[in-house]
Amino acid sequence: MRFADIGQQLRAYRLESGLRAEEIAARLGVSRAALYRYEKGEVIKLDTIRRLAELLKISPLSLLGIGVEYFSRPLALQERLRQVEEDAEQILQLGGALCTLVTTDAYDAALTDALAEAADAAPERLAFHGAAEQALGLLAARKKAYQSRRPSIIAMVSEQALRSFLVDGIAPAMNLSERVRHRCRVAARTELENVAALMESVPMGLQIGLLPDAEPNGNFIVLRARDRAHLCANPFQPDSVPIGAIGVGTITAADEAVSIHQRVAEAAWREARKGAEAAARVRLLLAETRMH
């Protein structure tokens, strides 16, 4: 029984629900101190596991890692993804415009500006500011963990997603001033120049390919640790609106789900453009966009 995994799910739920630790502890019939111990991975009584499964509205089997975890809030999914990444030795990504873990400081800076401006204009200004700080903190923590551990990454980005990214820039769903929107577009160009450079140089443990056809019908990530693998389907990118984003993300360790997605990703990798060919295509997209 993986108590550390259960503790991670409990912490993710606390972020997802917006409830205070005292409220969750009361619903579980334990003290707040016990709740924090459970989040750290200490042994949980079976009766508490049953109550926790009821609280999370999932089956006890799902809580024990056999089923699927569902997330309707970006922050909760980003936190759970961070937890899984901490143990991952191999990461396989299919779809999207970027590999989040290798984005540059320009991405972080533009996203910080976008979130600050969107928060100032939001009806729930304080809540948005708090969520924005959490989102940036989670992104920084994920990138820091990657830099220190260096799991191997194979990422396949979509040409269609790259085009949209260049046109809209970072944080496309946020209503921004022309000044900040311009900065987000400039930062998007910086990211694609970085992607092209990484494609061409192929640093150790990092390969980025370009999918030649349309955007895949659903982006996903397979994360493999030494003794376990997880599948994450994430509709919430780091530059999504942290409050009010609509979607449902999932994470599962079910063998059949991981296996079929792994096979699909491996087949896509065989067809993807790689190395200098992929880099040249990305640079062509940059040149074409500059012309408009």
Side-chain angles (χ1 to χ4, degrees), residues 214-261:
E215 177 79 4
N217 293 317
N219 306 336
F220 61 83
I221 308 172
V222 176
L223 305 102
R224 289 194 172 276
R226 181 167 301 178
D227 61 347
R228 202 176 194 193
H230 287 83
L231 167 70
C232 175
N234 184 3
F236 307 120
Q237 296 307 307
D239 60 350
S240 297
V241 180
I243 291 180
I246 299 174
V248 178
T250 61
I251 293 180
T252 180
D255 290 340
E256 63 274 20
V258 171
S259 295
I260 191 170
H261 285 80

Side-chain angles (χ1 to χ4, degrees), residues 3 17 34 47 53 61 97 100 121 123 154 163 172 182 192 205 227 253:
F3 292 109
S17 66
D47 188 53
L61 289 177
T100 299
I154 294 178
R163 289 182 182 277
H182 175 73
L192 263 61
D227 61 347

Side-chain angles (χ1 to χ4, degrees), residues 82-96:
R82 181 196 66 76
Q83 295 167 355
V84 176
E85 285 172 346
E86 280 191 338
D87 295 324
E89 296 181 351
Q90 298 175 336
I91 298 175
L92 180 60
Q93 173 186 321
L94 179 70

Side-chain angles (χ1 to χ4, degrees), residues 10 20-39 43-49 51-52 55:
L10 179 55
R20 299 194 309 275
E22 294 86 346
E23 295 175 288
I24 295 175
R27 295 185 184 189
L28 292 176
V30 300
S31 67
R32 185 175 66 172
L35 177 72
Y36 288 138
R37 290 199 302 272
Y38 295 158
E39 288 189 0
V43 174
I44 307 176
K45 294 180 180 179
L46 288 176
D47 188 53
T48 304
I49 289 176
R51 290 197 297 270
L52 180 56
L55 179 65

